[in-house]
Every structure is written in structure tokens, then in C-alpha cells.
DNA sequence: GTATTAATCTCGCTT
DNA sequence: AAGCGAGGTTAATAC
């Protein structure tokens, strides 16, 4: 029954099976019909009949073995064991596209817009301007220094700001305060949660609402 | 050519196609052979020949339409349009298992272990003990109050603690300080990053190394 | 390798 | 519906 399965090939398999995983966590998936996807880079996906997220998976570089009625995928300290009761459908996929997707309107796009319009957004012309400025506590999205040597620290979010974004900014801010810099803190995003807005006010951060940039 | 595709059914489709997405972001995926998965809950996955993550997707509750050579999936303000050049394989999947997976050794398991062994971990017997204690700035994993009315705030991580975990704890800590409580801050995890460990020391947080609990 | 962050994050839970 | 956090997060990027 298992003869047709070639563990070194990309394929899809629809099978009555049961899956066990052991690694960072441990899991069991009860017997049933599941869609198993095997890619040429070692990726393994086990998809159930609902939800986006695979029931089980292995990221790239996993190695698959076939032992009797079992498919075993190993990767570092993570192992998936699929016990096959019945193969319903097996198909090898040829010439599977490996092209990457091209995504726009990301955080980087918004950051680029901010950098290109920094003067009107902040209301002054910085004497120095950095993006992805590295500190020991993470990298600052945009850092603008004015002629009074005040550090304007900008955290950018493409979507709604939650309280986590505020503390991220706070952490960068504290770093610059520790090294004796004067700072001003900004959050720039199209939206903010109510709790985050309270936090912003309390921490004297400045929230600027800027919507997604249209495609250029 | 498109006659066989039934948009209300769960199926897999291997096709030469090109995909455009518009919603929170915008994306284009160049023409090539791609695996398209359609589930009964509306989930749509477009898988390329590498990586775990789908090239494009729609979470549950998306609605699919067929217009000429195009498959269009809509969900709130998000639309995926698949232009089909050629159908290579099409297969409807029957009796697709919707069973959920059962995962162990999660953060909750570690938290339960901590609660059950709180006395030996903290070195005292709390007069009050909470899990998932809600505050306006998030919910505290474990909160133990001692007889001197000091609040022992515990942040639990199943994996390695990064600096983000430290600021999460700090946020809870500041909340209790603001409402005039005496606090002690703990991070419990099997591992911690070096930057996070520096932060822990600076913020006078206590890091306790506790490994995953074995299966019970 | 380690460390950090974005993500069309997804998903579940709680208010 | 909104907000928040875990996740076997994955994937990309910087060091």
C-alpha cells in the first residue's frame, strides 16, 4: 500500500491516519482523514478540514522516512509520526512554483513614507535621521535628531497599536534616557486600541494617526 | 475547464495560476504551479513549493465565487483573486477530519506546575494565589500575595525569555506599584536570552529556571 | 549560530 | 465587537 509514496519527492496525500508529534511540545491527533503535504525543502503540513493553521507541521529541512505503515519526519529535536491506515489519494506534484510573493503596504512601506515626509510629520528638519537604529534593547524604527540634540524616537505600526507597541517604544526611550539623551516618543499607526491610548497619554508619548500609503 | 470546480465544497486544486490579494496589505504572486486548498469553513490556502506559510490565504468564513477563469474569495475587506491558466489536478475531499489537536507541555502546563509547587518555588506559603489575574494592562500569569501583603508577580514562558517578556512583567509590576502595592517580580522559564538577563538584573527582577514538566 | 521583530500573523479567550 | 496574549508561532534580518 505504501509503495507508491516517495519520501524524497514533493507530493500531497489524502489518508486515513493518526499523527503524533514530539519536540518543543507533544501532541496527538486522532485518527481521521487528513491532507498531508510534503515539499521538496522538507516542509511537512498536516491539514484538517477546518482552519488555516496546520494541525501538525515541520518547517523546511525536515527529513522524511518511511517505515512500514508509518511516515516519520525528523528535524533537530522534533519528530512527527504519521500512522497510515489507508491511502485515499496520492499525487506527486511536478514543477511546483517556488516564486516568492510580493507584498506591499507593509510596515516598511509606511516607514519609508514617514522618512520621506519627516519634516511635515514632526514639524522640523532633523539634522540626523536613522531607520532601524540598533540599540541593545531592539532596533528603533525611525530616529530623528533635532538641532537641540533631542532624540525623536518613532515606533511605526502598520495596523492597530496595542499596549505592547507602547512598551516597545518605552523600552527604546529608557535606553536613550539612560545614556543621557533628551527624548520625545512617537507612535505612528493608522489605529490604536483604547487601552494603548490611555497608556500613551500616561507615558506622555505622542500618537500620530497616519493611514496606509497608497500604492506607488 | 472550470466546470468541475464546486466553490461550496472542500477540495484541492493544483493549477497553473496567478494570485492577487488586496486587504490589509496588497500582494501579487506570479504565474506558476500552485497548490490551492479550499475547506468547508471557507478557509483558502495557496501553497507554493517551499516553506510552511501559505503564499496567500483566507481564514475561515471567506466566501468563494467562480467568475470565468477566476476564483474569487472574499472576507470582510480582504479579497483574493486567482486567475487560472490551467487545471492540473482537481480533487474534492470527502469526510475531511475536523478533529482538533491535543497539545501538551504548553505554557499552561508549566503554569499549573508552578501553582501546584508555589511554596517550594517562592519559599513561602501565599495567603492568596491567582492565575490569569486581569489588570488593565494585561493578565498576570501567576499572582501570589504573602502575609506582608507583598504582591509576587510571576510571568511564565514555556520557551526562552526574550526582552519582550521582561517588559511584559515590568508593565504588570508598574500597575501594582501605581495602586500602592509592594511588589516582587519573577520570570520563570527554562531559558533566557543574554540581553533579557541583563534587563532582568537591571530591573531587579528574579529569573527562575524551571524546565518543562514531564507528561503526567 | 543568537537575538529581535513583523506578520494579510492565526486562534482562543475574555470583557 | 474589541482587546489581549500564546503559539511547536514562522520567516526575515541583523549581529
Amino acid at each position: 500500500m505504501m509503495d507508491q509514496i516517495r519520501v524524497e519527492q514533493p507530493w500531497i496525500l489524502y489518508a486515513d491516519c493518526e499523527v503524533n508529534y514530539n519536540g518543543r511540545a507533544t501532541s496527538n491527533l486522532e485518527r481521521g482523514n487528513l491532507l498531508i503535504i510534503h515539499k521538496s525543502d522538507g516542509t511537512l503540513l498536516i491539514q484538517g478540514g477546518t482552519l488555516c493553521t496546520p494541525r501538525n507541521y515541520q518547517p523546511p529541512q525536515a527529513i522524511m522516512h518511511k517505515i512500514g505503515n508509518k511516515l516519520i519526519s525528523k528535524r533537530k529535536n522534533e519528530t512527527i509520526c504519521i500512522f497510515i491506515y489507508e491511502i485515499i489519494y496520492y499525487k506527486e506534484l511536478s514543477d511546483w512554483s517556488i516564486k516568492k510573493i510580493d507584498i506591499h503596504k507593509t510596515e516598511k512601506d509606511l516607514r519609508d513614507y514617514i522618512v520621506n515626509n519627516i519634516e511635515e510629520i514632526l514639524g522640523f528638519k532633523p539634522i540626523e535621521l536613522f531607520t532601524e537604529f540598533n540599540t541593545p534593547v531592539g532596533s528603533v524604527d525611525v530616529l530623528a535628531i533635532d538641532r537641540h540634540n533631542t532624540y525623536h524616537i518613532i515606533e511605526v505600526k502598520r495596523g492597530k497599536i496595542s499596549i505592547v507597541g507602547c512598551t516597545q517604544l518605552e523600552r527604546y526611550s529608557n535606553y536613550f534616557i539612560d545614556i543621557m539623551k533628551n527624548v520625545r516618543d512617537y507612535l505612528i499607526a493608522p489605529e490604536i486600541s483604547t487601552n494603548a491610548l490611555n497608556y500613551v497619554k500616561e507615558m506622555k508619548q505622542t500618537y500620530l494617526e497616519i493611514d496606509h500609503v497608497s500604492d506607488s
Side-chain angles (χ1 to χ4, degrees), chain A:
Chain A
M1 171 184 95
M2 301 281 287
D3 293 349
Q4 58 190 314
I5 296 174
R6 296 199 292 174
V7 295
E8 72 287 353
Q9 290 295 312
W11 43 251
I12 50 176
L13 168 64
Y14 192 55
D16 176 20
C17 61
E18 143 173 16
V19 186
N20 286 286
Y21 156 76
N22 207 317
R24 278 167 289 185
T26 295
S27 75
N28 170 260
L29 185 50
E30 279 179 57
R31 179 176 176 172
N33 291 352
L34 296 162
L35 176 64
I36 303 162
I37 298 161
H38 183 238
K39 300 188 183 188
S40 56
D41 64 355
T43 296
L44 176 68
L45 299 167
I46 294 153
Q47 288 282 357
T50 59
L51 299 182
C52 268
T53 307
R55 299 295 196 265
N56 280 109
Y57 61 89
Q58 290 277 35
Q61 282 120 50
I63 307 281
M64 185 177 278
H65 301 276
K66 187 167 64 170
I67 301 175
N69 278 26
K70 287 184 284 197
L71 291 172
I72 293 162
S73 173
K74 283 183 182 281
R75 183 183 184 272
K76 296 175 184 169
N77 294 320
E78 324 237 41
T79 304
I80 285 178
C81 180
I82 308 171
F83 188 94
I84 310 277
Y85 292 96
E86 189 195 352
I87 293 174
I88 301 167
Y89 178 69
Y90 171 79
K91 203 84 183 176
E92 291 179 8
L93 301 186
S94 54
D95 301 314
W96 200 347
S97 174
I98 58 166
K99 282 179 182 143
K100 297 292 173 64
I101 194 167
D102 188 23
I103 301 179
H104 300 281
K105 294 200 215 170
T106 60
E107 181 181 305
K108 188 178 176 302
D109 292 318
L110 180 52
R111 170 158 51 78
D112 290 346
Y113 173 81
I114 291 164
V115 167
N116 292 330
N117 298 273
I118 192 72
E119 207 169 324
E120 59 188 80
I121 290 168
L122 291 181
F124 65 87
K125 188 176 169 61
I127 56 166
E128 280 193 277
L129 185 60
F130 303 92
T131 59
E132 297 290 319
F133 184 92
N134 280 309
T135 75
V137 292
S139 85
V140 177
D141 287 335
V142 182
L143 173 63
I145 305 173
D146 69 20
R147 60 188 178 173
H148 308 296
N149 207 39
T150 294
Y151 281 53
H152 298 256
I153 307 161
I154 306 173
E155 176 62 29
V156 181
K157 292 289 175 207
R158 189 201 52 77
K160 191 183 278 196
I161 294 174
S162 78
I163 206 155
V164 178
C166 302
T167 54
Q168 193 178 346
L169 175 58
E170 197 184 337
R171 176 156 35 99
Y172 305 144
S173 183
N174 288 337
Y175 166 74
F176 286 111
I177 290 170
D178 282 351
I179 60 171
M180 307 296 287
K181 302 296 181 186
N182 295 314
V183 299
R184 272 202 69 183
D185 304 328
Y186 304 82
L187 288 156
I188 299 184
E191 217 181 338
I192 188 165
S193 78
T194 44
N195 278 355
L197 191 56
N198 290 336
Y199 202 91
V200 161
K201 287 172 185 164
E202 200 177 328
M203 300 306 296
K204 300 195 196 316
Q205 298 168 337
T206 302
Y207 167 60
L208 299 177
E209 196 166 294
I210 297 185
D211 220 319
H212 291 213
V213 188
S214 58
D215 283 302
S216 57

